[in-house]
Amino acid sequence: MTVKEMQSEIIRLKKEKNICILAHAYQSHEILEVADYTGDSFGLSLNAAQAEADTILMCGVRFMAETVKILSPQKRVILSNSEAGCPMAEQMDVELVSQLKEDYPDYSTVCYINTTSELKTICDVCVTSSSAEKIIGNMQSDKILFIPDCNLGDYISKQLPDKTFKLVSGGCPTHLRISVRDVEKARQLHPDAELLVHPECHPKVTALADFVGSTTGIMSYAEKSDKTSFIIGTENSIVQHLQMSCPDKRFYPLSKDCVCHNMKLTTLADVYNCVRGVGGEEITLDENIRLGAKRCIDEMLRLNK
Ligand code: 13P
Ligand code: SF4
């Protein structure tokens, strides 16, 4: 079967079976082409809340599929590859964060959406990279315990200097592979290019960027910009997506090592098997955990208005 034939079958079957395919921007281009919605973590959450199909197929990692199930419990939610998890989401558990909350009793606990559903039940609000500044800015509390990504937390704390942040050591192993040396090398090779990076990168890398934003933020910045060349400091699939959407512009990866192996686990064949009903994992959540995590996600959607 060719890629095109497999894609046509996926499109035919998803219509026949009323399946909505959501795909995070770090998925491969051939998967994005068959998706009904592609975007960053915040965009996926909005679509999860609004999707009308009976079944939602999430091409991304486990916490993203859980977010869909939390917001749409009546729907069948399938994670396209059951092995695809986010290592950052597993870095902190309820026990550790409960202790932190005891240590900082007058702080509000804000968690990145890249956390387990269980952990969300004990947090006040969750955020994504594109919504964190607005949401935390809208919170009444001016003392923020931010978990688990200390790089994103550090970046947001610099945008909101009137608030006090407690950060704990945690972060994305993929973006942490990017170094200042990578920036120096890329600037030397492409002196006219603008450097666009994700806030999950180390603060020393973020400080050198021309623009800092979520996956969707980086893509729309590059698409709208008058500039013609860009160094991309996030998962390398974004380089390829931008090359396809702006063929007259040039895009270079900041580091060839910025590849998320979990995001890359899902293949077009996985998607094909899921729409045929012979693959993926149906997400189920304990109702108490779902409701506890939903409160945290609902607060994110409310405070983003
Ligand atoms: P965004 O898509 O929200 O930028 O998040 C990036 C990421 O690493 C998702 O796991
Ligand atoms: Fe997790 Fe980082 Fe991969 Fe995103 S890129 S899924 S934060 S490991």
Side-chain angles (χ1 to χ4, degrees), residues 45-61:
S45 307
L46 286 184
N47 273 269
Q50 289 155 8
E52 279 172 11
D54 305 326
T55 301
I56 300 180
L57 175 57
M58 171 56 76
C59 303
V61 290

Side-chain angles (χ1 to χ4, degrees), residues 33 44 81 84 105 108 113 117-118 156 159 188 212 262 299:
E33 284 178 335
L44 292 175
N81 185 314
S108 293
I113 198 164
S117 302
E118 202 183 4
I156 300 299
Q159 314 308 309
Q188 221 168 18
V212 181
N262 279 275
E299 202 49 7

Side-chain angles (χ1 to χ4, degrees), residues 26 174-176 178-179 182-183 186 194-202 205-206 209 211-215 218 230-239 242 251-255 258:
Y26 291 160
T174 304
H175 287 86
L176 281 170
I178 297 176
S179 66
D182 290 323
V183 176
E194 279 199 298
L195 174 63
L196 319 182
V197 312
H198 196 280
E200 288 174 12
C201 292
H202 192 282
V205 171
T206 311
F211 173 79
V212 181
S214 74
T215 50
I218 288 175
F230 305 87
I231 302 160
I232 303 299
T234 190
E235 216 279 341
N236 285 342
S237 49
I238 300 298
V239 174
L242 281 168
F251 300 95
Y252 310 100
L254 176 52
S255 159
C258 196

